[in-house]
Structure formats: structure tokens, C-alpha cells
Amino acid sequence: MNYRHIYHAGNFADVLKHAVLARLIRYMQKKEGAFRVLDTHAGIGLYDLSSEEAQKTGEWVDGIGKLMQADLGPQVSELLEPYLSAIRELNPEGGIRFYPGSPKLARMLFRPQDRLSAMELHPEDYARLHRLFEGDHHARITELDGWLALGAHLPPKEKRGIVLVDPPFEEEDEYQRLAKGLERAYRRFPGGTYCLWYPLKKGAPIKEFHETLQALDIPKMLCAELIVRSDRGITGLTGSGLVIVNPPFTLKDELHQLLPALKDHLAQDRFASHRAFWLRGENKAVKDD
């Protein structure tokens, strides 16, 4: 309950998460049928990067700040267009003051038939999120522990959906909780696409986390990781990862283009790296750069 994403909005971890989320949404929209995005830890939805909190850390400067100024090349620019166009839409006068959280980004990319369910437990953040979407019949905002949503809110009535799980990782057992939450949710909604975010930092039990996921009875899990700096002498976040369950068949090739570009433009030292690989399913990995 202490975590507030305003301090981290628009950082390199958000860039990876939101770039992939936008690709997942666009893939779902290749079919006419409606789908739902379920965001279990939604935050406030829209962030003012000129606020005292965002300015205190300035993390966005080394994230979306760098990306918006980067020469990305035509292929990467095309892949990032849904994500970056939403940011430009929020900042019509140029620059980057407003940054969309996951629920706002998803809503901006929706067609008329698509829907959003967003959960937030923090009372103040829930109130702000609710005000942001007040009167929007495409969005259902609920004050709820997002972990509970992985049971009670699945499957969605549309029978198609993306489930984004982005917990604050305030507790030591969050990696195990994430794996258990996926196992529970998958039993209820095996056809859904799941996108699980996790932090990379010194001492994090990533190997054990991956092994726990590999032991689940889930056929296809693709993993993407972006590391922007060495963990030597640093106790905080050095990178982040995503586990995508039931990924679009195009996603691995898209990551092969996106991850090297993100590493090149968001690197904070010479130890930056990336990798994409199958935890379960296909065996061909995208090589580290």
C-alpha cells in the first residue's frame, strides 16, 4: 500500500511494458470480435511528469524522455507507433508532460467494441483512477486487491482478453505470488493472453521464478528482459522483464527488433543487455545483443 507509481512513471520499465502491451492490443484487434483488458494493479491511469513526485526521481527522463527523441528507424518506429502516438496525443503542444499508465494507454487504443476492467487497491489512487474514467462505459473501475481479480473476474464475458499483472513488488514473496496467481487465472481462462511484469535487480530470485513458471502446465510462455545498467554497487532496479502467456505468433520476431533498439537508446551504462526466450513452447531464443 506504500507504492506510488508516480515516482516511476515513464521509466525504462514502463517503456518495455507499454510497448509490448500496445503490440498485444493491436494483435487482438486483427479479429473483429470484442476483447477485454484486465489490469490488476492499475495505478491512477494518467501521470503528470511535471509533478513534484515525478520530478523528484526524474526516472522518466532516462525512459520515455530518451525514446521520444530517438532516431528509431522505420521498422521499429512502425512497431512503436501505437504506443508513441498515444503519448503524442496526450501532449499536443509537444514535449512530454502527461504519460499514460496501462489502463489509459489501453483505452486510447481501443475500438468501440473493446472494454477495460481496471483494479486498484490504494484508496487515493483508486479515487483518481475512477475520476479519470468517470462516465466512460467502456471502462469498469473497481477498488480491489488485483490478486483477487485473477479469480473473480475471469474469464471475461467477451471470452477474449489480455490480463496485465504488474504488482508493486513490495513483499519478498511477490515472485512466487505472481506464479501462483498465473496458475490460478490460467485454470479459469486458459485462452487468455497474460502479460506479467517483474523487476530485475541484484539478488532477485529470477532463476527460481522462471523454474516455477516452467513447472506450470502452460504450453506457451515467452519471456522478454531489458537490462539498462550493471547491478554492481546498485540496490535498485537495473532492468525489468515480461512473461507473455499465449503470445501472438508475431511477437517473438517483433521483440527481435524492439529489444535491441530499446537497449541502444535506454542504456545507462555499457553493461546494458536484452534477451527474449521461451520458458515453455518454442525453443528458438532471440540472442542477446
Side-chain angles (χ1 to χ4, degrees):
M1 292 293 290
N2 294 320
Y3 179 85
R4 309 301 295 278
H5 192 65
I6 182 60
Y7 292 99
H8 314 288
N11 67 2
F12 68 86
D14 263 3
V15 169
L16 174 63
K17 175 178 61 182
H18 291 150
V20 171
L21 176 62
R23 297 311 310 159
L24 295 177
I25 289 173
R26 283 294 184 251
Y27 184 84
M28 294 289 286
Q29 291 171 340
K30 290 182 179 293
K31 293 184 179 180
E32 184 62 28
F35 68 92
R36 184 173 295 269
V37 171
L38 175 66
D39 191 339
T40 63
H41 299 76
I44 63 175
L46 183 64
Y47 298 91
D48 184 348
L49 300 182
S50 70
S51 68
E52 181 180 350
E53 297 91 341
Q55 291 292 319
K56 184 175 181 179
T57 60
E59 290 187 16
W60 68 272
V61 175
D62 287 326
I64 191 59
K66 285 184 175 178
L67 191 66
M68 292 293 284
Q69 298 177 15
D71 182 6
L72 298 169
Q75 290 181 317
V76 173
S77 293
E78 183 178 356
L79 291 174
L80 289 174
E81 178 59 24
Y83 167 46
L84 298 183
S85 65
I87 297 171
R88 288 191 290 266
E89 183 178 340
L90 288 171
N91 299 277
E93 297 180 358
I96 314 170
R97 177 180 175 183
F98 295 107
Y99 184 82
S102 303
K104 179 65 173 178
L105 175 64
R107 181 66 184 92
M108 293 178 73
L109 298 179
F110 278 175
R111 305 164 301 177
Q113 64 266 43
D114 302 328
R115 296 292 185 270
L116 169 71
S117 290
M119 285 72 193
E120 177 54 49
L121 183 60
H122 193 289
E124 183 180 337
D125 287 359
Y126 162 75
R128 294 181 66 176
L129 184 67
H130 188 270
R131 286 196 299 270
L132 180 66
F133 289 101
E134 191 169 6
D136 186 344
H137 300 296
H138 292 77
R140 178 188 301 170
I141 311 303
T142 307
E143 187 174 8
L144 181 71
D145 183 343
W147 296 112
L148 299 177
L150 295 176
H153 289 256
L154 292 176
K157 66 179 182 180
E158 294 83 2
K159 307 302 180 186
R160 301 178 66 225
I162 299 168
V163 181
L164 176 65
V165 188
D166 177 20
F169 278 85
E170 290 182 304
E171 306 294 335
E172 291 184 2
D173 66 345
E174 291 278 53
Y175 291 94
Q176 295 86 347
R177 197 175 188 186
L178 189 57
K180 290 178 180 178
L182 172 62
E183 183 179 25
R184 183 172 70 253
Y186 188 82
R187 284 198 300 265
R188 297 180 62 91
F189 185 35
T193 295
Y194 296 83
C195 186
L196 317 178
W197 181 89
Y198 60 94
L200 297 172
K201 54 186 177 180
K202 190 171 186 178
I206 303 304
K207 183 175 183 292
E208 295 81 359
F209 174 56
H210 287 168
E211 289 174 349
T212 300
L213 292 174
Q214 287 171 327
L216 300 180
D217 189 21
I218 297 176
K220 283 197 173 184
M221 287 188 280
L222 181 64
C223 187
E225 292 183 346
L226 175 67
I227 296 173
V228 298
R229 59 183 178 178
S230 167
D231 63 6
R232 190 175 303 172
I234 294 175
T235 58
L237 196 69
T238 59
S240 70
L242 297 172
V243 173
I244 304 98
V245 173
N246 295 330
F249 75 94
T250 57
L251 187 59
K252 188 189 76 169
D253 289 339
E254 292 180 355
L255 289 172
H256 187 58
Q257 298 180 62
L258 284 174
L259 287 176
L262 294 181
K263 188 216 74 170
D264 288 345
H265 293 293
L266 304 184
Q268 296 179 19
D269 65 26
R270 65 186 179 89
F271 297 100
S273 64
H274 65 86
R275 62 175 182 158
F277 57 96
W278 291 97
L279 284 172
R280 288 287 301 270
E282 309 266 349
N283 293 316
K284 294 180 181 179
V286 178
K287 295 180 180 179
D288 292 7
D289 191 19

